[in-house]
Amino acid sequence: MRNMSLMLGRIGGIPIYVHWTFSLLIAYVVYIGVINQMGYTGVVWLLALTGAVFICVLLHELGHSMAARKYGIETEDISLLPIGGLARLEKMPRKPTQELVIAIMGPMVNVAIGLVLFVVFIVGFGTDFNLDLLEIFEAPFTGKKFVFLLLIMNISLVVFNMIPAFPMDGGRVFRALLSYKMDYVKATQIASLVGRALAIGMVAFGFFEREMTMMLIGTFVFFGANVENKVVSMEGALEGYKVKDLLRKRYTIFRTHETVRDALSMLYKGLERNFLIMDEHNSLEGIITSKLLLANKKTGLDTPLADIMNTDIAALDTNSELKEVYALMRQKQQPIVPIFEEGLLMGVIDYQTVSDFIQQKK
Ligand SMILES: [Zn+2]
């Protein structure tokens, strides 16, 4: 379990997670089947259709991942949520063509699936497209209807994902196209603004037409567009600065055998919030964050830091770009990054320092 998710397995080395709320979706689908009096076969059929849609969503995410891999960008993981899928790439490329290709390869997968289903339909069932096929809750629950509805779902996935607003793929495509003409921060601002305008339109339309789903999607798009703009403008503020410009050379080190109590007493002095942990041979073993310390405050003051420290940590070089550190901190949820130069520990960069720096630059 990670973030309340269950790992299904790996595809091409990428861990695939499914969120626990998925079980609610399954229960909901069964419930819908039952109240629509679909019968046993109907409910199983509906569940199979839901499963098939999510396989298409998974393939869509894999489309992004495989495109990213072509540019040397790996995918941390793919999560399936009842509202859709999410591929977490280790970073987003700043080159317009790369972003464009990565963003568009998801929907392209659904276009391809759609074409295959279309051919399957024609070959298997002829050209008899009639509106009865859209009656998802009405018998007969045939293979013909299954293929047809899955085809419609794939078309909807393409249309929905190509809405030109963050966090949809269409938003990324739009930004990539804009960034051929202008700088990335400006392109993001415009794409974000258009996205938010669209979102407000969706909410308004949903309100007047009493379309709850439309209102929800609009709200989701609005906040997504906002977040993207914030993150990119913050990265813009860090543009041109190196790690060494904000390097903190004085920092407290704890040893692996020292306890939560020791680290908490330092935390309460209020000067540092996150600490490096070394063994007796001065080799860096992990980090401990204020969050972790406070979480262990009640249960184990005498717990050695070695037992709770975060050992999956990233380090950078003094010559790295500051925005690279910032991206890494957010990506890995790692608020302190050790900085090395030719194998020697030179200091640390703290999240607080970076965000103060961004604040005073505004
Ligand atoms: Zn996508």
Side-chain angles (χ1 to χ4, degrees):
M1 293 290 271
R2 184 191 121 278
N3 291 338
M4 309 294 279
S5 294
L6 178 74
M7 185 162 144
L8 287 183
R10 282 171 190 275
I11 299 178
I14 303 163
I16 313 290
Y17 290 97
V18 56
H19 198 255
W20 75 270
T21 43
F22 224 83
S23 54
L24 295 183
L25 178 78
I26 294 171
Y28 181 71
V29 170
V30 172
Y31 169 77
I32 289 289
V34 170
I35 59 162
N36 282 288
Q37 298 175 327
M38 290 174 74
Y40 177 72
T41 336
V43 172
V44 172
W45 180 90
L46 196 60
L47 280 173
L49 186 63
T50 310
V53 169
F54 274 91
I55 290 172
C56 296
V57 169
L58 176 60
L59 292 171
H60 169 114
E61 299 306 329
L62 283 167
H64 291 306
S65 298
M66 293 305 133
R69 187 170 276 182
K70 261 188 67 99
Y71 299 118
I73 298 167
E74 280 305 312
T75 304
E76 308 261 341
D77 51 47
I78 291 177
S79 303
L80 292 175
L81 302 140
I83 51 159
L86 180 71
R88 265 193 331 131
L89 302 186
E90 57 181 8
K91 62 176 180 201
M92 271 318 262
R94 286 295 183 91
K95 296 198 181 91
T97 309
Q98 296 191 359
E99 178 169 43
L100 186 70
V101 172
I102 294 173
I104 214 155
M105 275 316 281
M108 278 305 144
V109 168
N110 300 108
V111 170
I113 298 173
L115 284 173
V116 171
L117 290 169
F118 183 73
V119 172
V120 167
F121 191 93
I122 301 281
V123 172
F125 314 108
T127 48
D128 172 31
F129 292 99
N130 60 65
L131 286 177
D132 285 351
L133 289 171
L134 284 172
E135 298 294 339
I136 192 165
F137 304 123
E138 302 285 328
F141 305 112
T142 56
K144 181 178 176 180
K145 194 185 248 185
F146 189 94
V147 172
F148 183 78
L149 285 170
L150 196 55
L151 171 60
I152 298 293
M153 298 289 190
N154 274 281
I155 295 171
S156 320
L157 279 173
V158 174
V159 172
F160 176 67
N161 276 292
M162 289 309 286
I163 296 174
F166 296 115
M168 252 70 84
D169 298 330
R172 300 194 177 282
V173 170
F174 184 38
R175 171 174 60 196
L177 292 174
L178 288 173
S179 36
Y180 281 111
K181 291 270 167 222
M182 58 190 84
D183 78 78
Y184 192 76
V185 177
K186 187 88 202 146
T188 306
Q189 268 171 6
I190 295 179
S192 164
L193 201 66
V194 172
R196 275 177 282 175
L198 262 174
I200 292 170
M202 282 160 106
V203 172
F205 178 83
F207 181 77
F208 290 117
E209 295 291 317
R210 304 199 178 165
E211 284 280 352
M212 218 17 220
T213 334
M214 190 67 125
M215 284 176 73
L216 274 174
I217 294 171
T219 314
F220 171 70
V221 169
F222 187 88
F223 288 106
N226 230 355
V227 167
E228 184 70 25
N229 191 38
K230 273 217 181 93
V231 168
V232 171
S233 79
M234 280 180 173
E235 284 179 2
L238 299 175
E239 191 76 53
Y241 292 92
K242 298 264 189 218
V243 159
K244 52 175 174 257
D245 298 324
L246 280 191
L247 187 68
R248 180 150 58 84
K249 290 181 175 153
R250 300 185 63 177
Y251 50 89
T252 309
I253 291 168
F254 283 101
R255 302 291 164 179
T256 37
H257 66 265
E258 286 183 280
T259 63
V260 171
R261 192 193 308 276
D262 300 327
L264 270 176
S265 72
M266 196 65 195
L267 178 69
Y268 289 145
K269 288 186 182 153
L271 295 170
E272 294 167 76
R273 304 199 49 78
N274 311 292
F275 308 95
L276 303 184
I277 299 175
M278 290 184 172
D279 66 9
E280 57 276 26
H281 310 296
N282 285 333
S283 112
L284 184 62
E285 296 294 311
I287 59 165
I288 189 92
T289 62
S290 55
K291 209 171 147 191
L292 258 178
L293 284 172
L294 294 172
N296 281 278
K297 190 170 73 171
K298 284 236 169 63
T299 44
L301 281 176
D302 295 314
T303 314
L305 294 174
D307 291 0
I308 58 163
M309 69 185 177
N310 182 359
T311 53
D312 174 31
I313 53 168
L316 282 171
D317 199 74
T318 37
N319 281 315
S320 314
E321 306 268 340
L322 203 47
K323 59 180 189 198
E324 214 180 309
V325 184
Y326 180 66
L328 186 129
M329 284 172 162
R330 281 187 305 110
Q331 183 74 39
K332 296 202 69 147
Q333 302 277 314
Q334 183 185 328
I336 189 168
V337 179
I339 305 296
F340 287 86
E341 193 172 290
E342 288 165 1
L344 282 175
L345 183 61
M346 302 303 286
V348 296
I349 296 265
D350 203 273
Y351 186 79
Q352 199 52 48
T353 321
V354 181
S355 77
D356 288 349
F357 180 76
I358 293 170
Q359 280 306 320
Q360 57 100 6
K361 278 211 65 195
K362 274 186 179 165

